[in-house]
Amino acid sequence: HARMVRRLFSYVGEGGHIPHEWFAAEVTRLDNVAGDIEALAHRLAGIRSWAYIAQRADWLADPAKWAERTKAVEARLSDALHERLTQRFVDRRTAVLVRDIGARGADALPVTVAADGEVSVGPEPIGHLAGFEFRVDPTARLADKRLLLAAAERRLGDELDRRAAKLCEAPDTEFRLVEEAGGLAFSREGQILARLAPGRSLLEPAVRTARALDRLSAERRAMLRGRLEKWIESQIGRHLPALKALANAAADRKATPGIRALAAMLVDAGGQLPRRAIAAQLSALAKEDRHALHSLRVRLGALDIYVQALLKPVAQQWRAALLAVRSGQPMPRLPEPSAVILDGSAEPRGASLAFRRLGSEWLRIDLADRLASHAHQVRQHGGEDPVGRALSTSIGLHQATVPHLMA
């Protein structure tokens, strides 16, 4: 299969069509109804790959002809497989299934899905449908499972499409962003629908649908992926509007180069940067640029450049999620929502979203900024104790941490 895909890619990637001689030879090789169940099942899987290729008008010079040919070969192999299965399986459940296949054809199988997800062929249960994932009845014999799975998948298309359509119309409140081993995923009613992956930018992560959704038609799967992309976009707009505004400013051609550059750097960093890291860019800002940044709620602090709204707990959670997805790391452990000072046990990735490291402690950056501004004012007025013991004690800052802040 890998060799076939590589060869297909070499033809299609060069902008041409698949040679009809090669296509015809492969289809002819599979057009053989001799052999046992395993051989027929293998050929049936093979011809379905070629039937898919035959639907691509941009891959073949005469797709209609080859679509008809592959459909006929698939029908012959399917009939032969059903005949072999009838000969092999004699238990009641499989006999009912094979009888219906022989009498009415695979497309007429009486497959039903109960409210609890139980899937039955006639009166016989064959498995369970949880979300978009079908699991064969665990009590079925190993030899039966392949047939039961094929029968269910062949006839569950309408039910899966109905579920996907319902999902596309579901309100935003029904979706959740949940942690998985090594990443973040979309969930609804406990079912994983898709996973987040690095995208074009921090605010535009990619959505990768779960393998269970591969049973949907390409069109329906694309619609569902679009719905999930819309959900993540709405959540970012709702919880990170300040970061969204900065992204718009970075892309605004009417903005000055200084504004665009600084806004882009802030968005890429998740909404905050140490002042020292961008001192050169800040010194080049004009007075009008500083006013524009103020209107974007950007605080040009003595120690950090940040947006106050992005320090809120829910904003920290979403920033942490987006940064984790982009870096391919798990979600970090975040500080308690009410915390303003953390001890040395805080996880650096989570703490750095809203805190500055000072010795053995972490101080929230807006508080560190206020203390730094206060210290400057005290010094300007001739004071000798910029952050007195009473002030540091009142906010819970250890006296040993104050020199680190002053430095």
Side-chain angles (χ1 to χ4, degrees), residues 298-372:
V298 175
R299 168 70 178 169
L300 303 180
L303 298 174
D304 297 280
I305 312 303
Y306 63 96
V307 179
Q308 183 72 37
L310 295 177
L311 303 183
K312 294 179 179 179
V314 67
Q316 287 188 54
Q317 290 176 355
W318 276 93
R319 289 165 58 212
L322 295 175
L323 289 167
V325 168
R326 188 180 63 181
S327 63
Q329 295 180 300
M331 186 77 173
R333 177 168 53 89
L334 298 178
E336 290 295 324
S338 59
V340 293
I341 295 177
L342 307 175
D343 60 28
S345 65
E347 182 184 348
R349 281 200 306 129
S352 62
L353 289 166
F355 292 76
R356 167 174 278 273
R357 185 70 179 260
L358 298 169
S360 61
E361 290 187 306
W362 295 81
L363 183 62
R364 206 171 66 194
I365 60 174
D366 57 336
L367 187 55
D369 183 45
R370 287 203 296 270
L371 288 176

Side-chain angles (χ1 to χ4, degrees), residues 144-214:
D144 296 354
K145 286 188 176 182
R146 228 174 170 181
L147 174 64
L148 299 177
L149 185 62
E153 288 186 341
R154 186 78 180 270
R155 295 300 302 145
L156 285 176
D158 291 342
E159 171 64 17
L160 293 176
D161 272 0
R162 184 190 68 78
R163 292 189 176 198
K166 183 178 179 181
L167 199 59
C168 289
E169 297 171 358
D172 284 356
T173 53
E174 293 193 14
F175 298 101
R176 295 285 183 275
L177 194 62
V178 297
E179 294 182 48
E180 270 198 325
L184 293 167
F186 294 93
S187 169
R188 179 176 181 262
E189 297 178 351
Q191 298 295 319
I192 299 299
L193 303 174
R195 293 170 177 84
L196 283 177
R200 291 184 297 177
S201 69
L202 181 71
L203 297 182
E204 296 177 294
V207 176
R208 302 280 185 261
T209 52
R211 291 191 63 180
L213 272 64
D214 289 349

Side-chain angles (χ1 to χ4, degrees), residues 129-134 160 163-164 167 193 212-213 215-216 224:
L129 185 64
F132 294 89
E133 187 174 358
F134 175 71
L160 293 176
R163 292 189 176 198
L167 199 59
L193 303 174
L213 272 64
R215 297 185 177 93
L216 296 173
L224 185 52

Side-chain angles (χ1 to χ4, degrees), residues 41-233:
H42 183 73
R43 291 185 201 127
L44 192 58
I47 198 62
R48 283 172 177 164
S49 294
W50 294 106
Y52 168 80
I53 294 169
Q55 301 296 325
R56 298 295 301 255
D58 54 339
W59 288 8
L60 291 170
D62 190 3
K65 169 188 171 182
W66 294 114
E68 195 65 32
R69 173 75 189 281
T70 54
K71 182 179 179 181
V73 174
E74 181 180 355
R76 284 193 290 275
L77 289 171
S78 183
D79 290 341
L81 178 60
H82 293 159
E83 182 180 348
R84 301 294 195 284
L85 289 168
T86 304
Q87 295 169 1
R88 173 182 286 187
F89 302 121
V90 295
D91 66 283
R92 181 170 180 266
R93 172 168 53 197
T94 312
V96 169
L97 187 57
V98 175
R99 183 194 65 209
D100 288 338
I101 292 174
R104 290 181 282 175
D107 289 334
L109 282 173
V111 174
T112 57
V113 182
D116 62 356
E118 184 179 72
V119 180
S120 302
V121 175
E124 300 298 330
I126 64 171
H128 191 270
L129 185 64
F132 294 89
E133 187 174 358
F134 175 71
R135 294 187 179 91
V136 175
D137 186 347
T139 63
R141 294 188 310 174
L142 183 62
D144 296 354
K145 286 188 176 182
R146 228 174 170 181
L147 174 64
L148 299 177
L149 185 62
E153 288 186 341
R154 186 78 180 270
R155 295 300 302 145
L156 285 176
D158 291 342
E159 171 64 17
L160 293 176
D161 272 0
R162 184 190 68 78
R163 292 189 176 198
K166 183 178 179 181
L167 199 59
C168 289
E169 297 171 358
D172 284 356
T173 53
E174 293 193 14
F175 298 101
R176 295 285 183 275
L177 194 62
V178 297
E179 294 182 48
E180 270 198 325
L184 293 167
F186 294 93
S187 169
R188 179 176 181 262
E189 297 178 351
Q191 298 295 319
I192 299 299
L193 303 174
R195 293 170 177 84
L196 283 177
R200 291 184 297 177
S201 69
L202 181 71
L203 297 182
E204 296 177 294
V207 176
R208 302 280 185 261
T209 52
R211 291 191 63 180
L213 272 64
D214 289 349
R215 297 185 177 93
L216 296 173
S217 64
E219 179 183 3
R220 186 66 72 182
R221 192 164 61 249
M223 289 177 61
L224 185 52
R225 184 168 54 249
R227 175 67 183 93
L228 296 176
E229 288 171 348
K230 183 179 178 181
W231 182 81
I232 195 75
E233 183 180 358

